[in-house]
Amino acid sequence: QSKSRSYPGRLYRRVNRLLEEPAFKRWAEKVVRQRNRIVCKMQNKYWRTTHKNGVELPKSAKHALEIDRRNGDRCWRDAICKEMNKACW
C-alpha cells in the first residue's frame, strides 16, 4: 500500500532530477530519518503496551480468541465481528 502511494512521488523526483539537487537531497534525507525515528518509537510502544485500564490487549485476532477462551466469554470475538461488519458495509 505504501509503495503505491509513494510511486508517483518517486517517479516525479526521478523525471525532474530533483534528487540531484543538493538542497532537496539534504531535505529528503532528513525527512526519511525523522519518519523512521517516529515509526520506530510507535512500534516499540505498540509491542510494549499489553494492558489498558486493567484489560489485556490482544496483538492479533488469534490472541483475542485465546483471551476469550481463558476468560470464558466472547467479548473480543463480538468486537471483531462488529468491526468486520462495519468494514464490509
Side-chain angles (χ1 to χ4, degrees), residues 12-49:
Y12 176 82
R13 290 189 301 262
R14 190 174 348 144
V15 168
N16 292 305
R17 299 180 184 264
L18 288 177
L19 289 176
E20 295 173 8
E21 296 290 327
F24 184 82
K25 186 175 183 178
R26 201 170 32 249
W27 174 83
E29 290 171 355
K30 180 181 175 185
V31 169
V32 168
R33 277 194 310 271
Q34 287 176 339
R35 184 203 60 184
N36 291 342
R37 192 176 320 125
I38 291 168
V39 168
C40 185
K41 285 181 181 180
M42 293 306 296
Q43 285 176 339
N44 289 340
K45 184 172 181 165
Y46 171 78
W47 288 109
R48 194 173 54 235
T49 305

Side-chain angles (χ1 to χ4, degrees), residues 21-85:
E21 296 290 327
F24 184 82
K25 186 175 183 178
R26 201 170 32 249
W27 174 83
E29 290 171 355
K30 180 181 175 185
V31 169
V32 168
R33 277 194 310 271
Q34 287 176 339
R35 184 203 60 184
N36 291 342
R37 192 176 320 125
I38 291 168
V39 168
C40 185
K41 285 181 181 180
M42 293 306 296
Q43 285 176 339
N44 289 340
K45 184 172 181 165
Y46 171 78
W47 288 109
R48 194 173 54 235
T49 305
T50 59
H51 289 75
K52 189 170 185 176
N53 298 328
V55 177
E56 184 178 3
L57 300 176
K59 298 298 181 187
S60 66
K62 185 178 179 180
H63 185 216
L65 297 176
E66 173 64 26
I67 293 170
D68 278 349
R69 189 187 62 72
R70 269 187 288 157
N71 293 338
D73 58 20
R74 295 168 40 129
C75 295
W76 286 110
R77 183 178 183 277
D78 293 343
I80 291 170
C81 291
K82 186 176 180 180
E83 285 296 317
M84 292 306 293
N85 285 335

